[in-house]
Amino acid sequence: MTAGLAAALFTPRSVALVGASADPAKASSRPLRFLRRSGFAGAVYPVNRRAGTIDGERAFASLDALPEVPDHAFLMTPTAATVEAVRQCGRLGVPVVTVLSGGFAEAGPEGAARQRELAAVAAGTGTRVLGPSSLGLVNTRTGLTLTANAAFAEPDLPRGGIFVASHSGSLIGALLSRGAACGAAFSHLVSVGGEVDLGIGEICGAAVTDPDVTGFLLFLENLRHADRLRAFAREAAALGKPVLAYKLGRSRAAAELAVSHTGSLAGEDDVAAAFLADCGIARAHTLDGLLEGLPLLARTPVRTGTAPRVGVVTTTGGGAAMVVDQLGVLGVEVAGPSPATLTRLAEAGAPAAPGAIVDLTLAGTRYDVMAAALDVLHASGEFDLVVAVVGSSARFEPGVAVRPIVDRAHRGGLAAFLVPHAPEALAMLADAGVPAFRTPESCADAIAAALGRRPPRAVPPPPPAEPGPTRPLDEAASYAVLAELGVVAAPHRVVPVDDVETTGLEFPVAVKALSPALGHKSDVGGVVLGVETAAGAGEAARAIRTAVAGRGGVEISDVLVQSMADGLGEVLVGYRVDPAVGPLVLVAAGGVLTEVYADRSLRPAPVDLGTVRRMLAEVKGLALLRGHRGARPGDLDALARLVVAMSELAGRADVAEAEINPVLVRPAGEGVVALDAVVRLFERPGGEP
C-alpha cells in the first residue's frame, strides 16, 4: 500500500459523508456528530440529495457539487445505489471509499452478483474500497471518528498504541468498552466488513510502520486475502510489533463434506491455527485473553526449542490453583522450583514447600517476602515466565500487595493475576507495564498464546489457488505422480479382473479395486487382504468387482495387486490446497480409524526437515515409533523425508490434493513404504486435467 493510500485511510484532509442524515435517530447522522465531537480538523462534507443543512452545516446535493475531491468518502447509501455511488467516486478520483451498506455476498446469489460488480468497479477505477458492511474506522490521535458505530458516542476514547481490525463491526464496540475496563488504549479501530477489496492484512500493513502503533489485535471471521495477511504479519514481526488474533469458526461442518481423510482432518479451525502460527500471529481463545494479552506478547520473546516453563508464586493457594489448572488444559507446563531454588528461597526469608507453586501464604503480603521470592525465582533461570498471583490484599492494600511486582517490572518474564476485583492494583501494574489479568482463563489464554508463538517463516508458501473442480486419479496413477517425488510404493501390478497375473509379486498380496471413482475402497468391499495364492487373487478380484458394483455402484475392469509388507506402524501423510491459505501438509496416525482419533499435525507447505520433526513429535499416536517404553524405534528419518517430499507438491499448480494412507514405517534404517494413495488434480477449462 502506498503512503498516499495510507494517508487517505487514516489521515485524510477531507471526508465526504454520502447519505448523511439530519435525523438523530438514524445511524447515518452519527459520523458528522462524532467527527465534530472528536475534534477532526479536516474538511467534512455532508452529502444529501435534498441538500439544505445538517446539524447547522451546509449539505451538498451530490459529490459533483463538492468544492474539492475528498480524500475519503463514507457511503451510507441504500444497497441498490451503492455500486453506482462507488462508480461515481471512481470517476472523480476519490482514493478511498468506505461502504456501510450490507446486502452483498452474504445476501444470496443476487447479493453475490452485486459484490462482483462492486469489486469490478473498484478494480477498474483504482478507487480502493473498505467494506461492504463496514461500520467505518477511527484514528484516535487525529479525531477521525469516521464511523456509524454507536459505541463511539462515548466521549474521551482511550488513546494508546493498539491497532484493532475486525471483520465484525459490532465487535469494535465491545472491544472498546471492555478494553477501557482493563486498561487497553487504542490508536486505530477499523471495521473491515466484507473485504471486497481492502483486507485486514493490507489495512494493518498500512499502519505497521507507524511509530505510534505498538501492536495489533485482530478479530477474524475468515482468512480471505491470506497472502496479504501473511506479508503484514512478517513485517510486524520484523519490527517487533506483536499481533494477537481471535479467530471464529471452529465448526467441522465443512470438513464432514470432504472426500479424503486429509480433508476431514484438516478442518477450518485446524487450517486457521496452522496458518496463524506459521505467520507468527499469536491466537487467543477468549475475548478477555485477546484484550489483556498484548502487553504480555510485547514483553515475551518469540521462542524456539524446548517447551516453556512457567513458575507461579502466590499469596493464595486457591487462586494459584485456578491458573495452574487453566494452563494445564492448554498444555502449558507449570514447573515447581528445583531443590536448590527452594533452599535459596528459604535463605532469603521466603520459604515454600516443594510443589508446582511457590505458596507464600499470608506472609507473601509483606513486601520483603514477595520481593525476595520474585528475586530468587528470576535469578534461578529455571522459568520462562513467573506469574504472581495475589489474593484479597490486591484490593484492600494495593500499595503493599503489588508494589514488589511493580518494582520489578523492568525485568520482563513477569505477569500477575489478581484474584479479587482490584481496579487500583490493576492500574498500578498497567502503568508499570506489567501484564496483569482479571481472570484465570484470560491469564492462561494469554500465556499460552505468548509462549506458543513461532517465528514467521522466512519464505512464504505459494499464494492460495482459486477453487475449482478437481479430478481424482486411481491408485496406480497416484503412485506414478508420487514416484516423481521419490515416494516408494510397495510392489504392485495392474491387471484385468478376469486375467489376474501375479508374476514378480511376493505373497501374501492385497487385491484392490482400481477406479478413480472410489474414494474409500474398503467401505464398499473393494479390498481383500492376505491373499496367499495366484488363484486366490483371481477369486478376490472377481468378488471385488461384484461387491463394488453392488455397494458402490461402480463398474471396474481392473484391480491392483500389491505385495503386503510388515512394519512397526502406519502413518497418514496428506497434502491439499486450501482455498483460503493455500498448500498444506498433514501427518496423522494412519489406518481406517484415523478420523476417529483426529491425532494429527498440520503446516502450510512446503516444509523443511526441522519443521517435519516437530510435526511428528506433536502426533501422540507415533509414540511407539519414537521408541516409547523400550519399543523398537521406527525409521522416522525416512518418514520425515517423505513428508518433505509430499509438501513439495506445493510447487505443482495441477495437484489439488494427495494422500498416502497408510505409509508403513519400518524399523530405523529400513525406510518407509506407501501402501495406498490417492491424488486429485485440478481440472483445466474444458474439463481436461
Side-chain angles (χ1 to χ4, degrees):
M1 178 177 288
T2 66
L5 190 51
L9 266 175
F10 304 128
T11 57
R13 294 165 300 175
S14 59
V15 298
L17 306 177
V18 183
S21 173
D23 184 350
K26 292 184 177 180
S28 52
S29 71
R30 294 170 185 161
L32 181 59
R33 295 202 308 272
F34 292 169
L35 287 166
R36 293 312 184 206
R37 179 183 298 171
S38 58
F40 177 64
V44 180
Y45 301 115
V47 178
N48 187 298
R49 60 187 178 85
R50 295 185 180 88
T53 62
I54 297 176
D55 289 349
E57 300 191 28
R58 177 189 175 188
F60 297 83
S62 68
L63 284 165
D64 293 318
L66 299 183
E68 63 176 317
V69 175
D71 290 338
H72 196 137
F74 188 32
L75 301 187
M76 298 172 282
T77 52
T79 299
T82 295
V83 173
E84 182 55 37
V86 174
R87 185 176 285 113
Q88 183 182 13
C89 288
R91 286 197 301 266
L92 292 172
V94 178
V96 174
V97 171
T98 295
V99 176
L100 174 65
S101 302
F104 287 83
E106 78 283 3
E110 183 179 347
R114 188 180 295 119
Q115 177 138 333
R116 289 192 295 271
E117 185 181 5
L118 179 60
V121 169
T125 63
T127 290
R128 304 304 303 272
V129 176
L130 174 60
S133 301
S134 168
L135 284 176
L137 74 162
V138 173
N139 182 343
T140 63
R141 298 196 306 274
T142 66
L144 179 70
T145 314
L146 191 62
T147 177
N149 192 329
F152 289 90
E154 192 166 337
D156 301 323
L157 299 179
R159 299 181 182 181
I162 301 175
F163 188 108
V164 175
S166 172
H167 284 122
S168 167
S170 61
L171 243 293
I172 294 285
L175 294 173
L176 188 67
S177 59
R178 286 175 173 265
C182 67
F186 307 103
S187 63
H188 303 73
L189 302 102
V190 183
S191 166
V192 176
E195 292 185 305
V196 69
D197 176 26
L198 290 169
I200 278 184
E202 195 171 0
I203 291 166
C204 292
V208 72
T209 58
D210 185 333
D212 293 322
V213 173
T214 57
F216 295 82
L217 293 185
L218 311 181
F219 187 89
L220 305 175
E221 294 180 355
N222 59 68
L223 294 176
R224 195 180 293 120
H225 304 304
D227 52 338
R228 293 180 178 178
L229 180 58
R230 178 186 287 277
F232 147 69
R234 289 182 58 200
E235 189 172 4
L239 295 171
K241 298 186 178 185
V243 184
L244 181 60
Y246 185 105
K247 170 67 175 64
L248 288 179
R250 300 191 188 188
S251 169
R252 296 193 58 83
E256 292 173 1
L257 301 177
V259 174
S260 70
H261 295 292
T262 299
S264 181
L265 287 167
E268 178 184 348
D269 194 60
D270 304 290
V271 171
F275 174 78
L276 294 174
D278 203 55
C279 293
I281 297 175
R283 186 178 182 189
H285 295 281
T286 64
L287 188 57
D288 285 342
L290 177 70
L291 280 166
E292 298 178 5
L294 208 54
L296 182 60
L297 264 68
R299 294 166 60 93
T300 304
V302 178
R303 303 181 63 265
T304 57
T306 59
R309 288 170 56 90
V310 176
V312 177
V313 58
T314 185
T315 64
T316 166
M322 289 191 291
V323 173
V324 171
D325 185 49
Q326 290 296 320
L327 286 170
V329 169
L330 297 175
V332 177
E333 178 187 5
V334 174
S338 67
T341 298
L342 284 171
T343 298
R344 286 193 289 272
L345 284 168
E347 292 171 348
I357 63 174
V358 176
D359 189 356
L360 304 175
T361 66
L362 287 177
T365 61
R366 291 166 40 198
Y367 181 97
D368 59 330
V369 175
M370 177 61 79
L374 292 173
D375 289 342
V376 170
L377 295 176
H378 179 267
S380 71
E382 297 173 2
F383 307 102
D384 297 285
L385 178 70
V386 173
V387 183
V389 180
V390 185
S392 299
S393 56
R395 178 175 176 84
F396 298 105
E397 296 179 319
V400 175
V402 303
R403 178 55 58 186
I405 308 170
V406 168
D407 288 347
R408 284 151 184 80
H410 61 282
R411 290 178 177 170
L414 181 63
F417 163 50
L418 307 184
V419 179
H421 177 59
E424 186 178 343
L426 281 171
M428 290 175 60
L429 292 165
D431 290 344
V434 177
F437 302 93
R438 297 173 297 165
T439 69
E441 292 82 6
S442 65
C443 181
D445 190 18
I447 290 171
L451 297 181
R453 278 187 301 170
R454 299 198 299 262
R457 288 216 287 173
V459 180
E466 290 294 326
T470 63
R471 182 178 75 89
L473 303 180
D474 65 32
E475 185 175 348
S478 297
Y479 285 145
V481 170
L482 298 178
E484 297 176 16
L485 304 172
V487 174
V488 176
H492 57 277
R493 297 189 64 171
V494 175
V495 296
V497 171
D498 293 320
D499 186 17
V500 175
E501 174 61 59
T502 60
T503 302
L505 300 177
E506 294 186 5
F507 288 95
V509 296
V511 183
K512 311 180 207 177
L514 190 68
S515 171
L518 293 172
H520 301 302
K521 297 184 288 289
S522 59
D523 292 350
V524 293
V527 179
V528 177
L529 303 176
V531 179
E532 297 285 355
T533 65
E539 294 174 3
R542 292 186 289 275
I544 285 172
R545 177 171 59 188
T546 300
V548 298
R551 294 166 58 183
V554 176
E555 299 290 339
I556 64 167
S557 57
D558 295 327
V559 291
L560 185 142
V561 185
Q562 186 173 50
S563 294
M564 297 183 67
D566 293 325
L568 300 180
E570 295 181 346
V571 179
L572 179 150
V573 179
Y575 166 88
R576 76 180 180 92
V577 178
D578 182 86
V581 307
L584 302 163
V585 66
L586 176 142
V587 180
V592 296
L593 296 180
T594 188
E595 293 170 46
V596 175
Y597 296 120
D599 180 18
R600 74 284 194 191
S601 180
L602 182 72
R603 294 289 193 280
V607 291
D608 57 23
L609 275 172
T611 299
V612 175
R613 291 190 176 104
R614 289 189 290 274
M615 292 175 68
L616 298 180
E618 292 169 6
V619 181
K620 299 180 181 64
L622 303 186
L624 289 178
L625 295 178
R626 293 190 284 268
H628 179 67
R629 307 194 95 179
R632 189 178 183 185
D635 199 337
L636 294 184
D637 286 340
L639 177 61
R641 291 192 294 272
L642 182 145
V643 177
V644 169
M646 281 281 282
S647 79
E648 291 170 356
L649 286 170
R652 289 187 53 161
D654 60 330
V655 178
E657 192 169 2
E659 179 176 286
I660 308 174
N661 184 29
V663 175
L664 184 71
V665 181
R666 290 170 164 157
E670 297 183 20
V672 297
V673 62
L675 298 184
D676 199 355
V678 62
V679 171
R680 299 184 71 89
L681 302 180
F682 286 113
E683 289 187 352
R684 296 173 183 160
E688 292 298 321

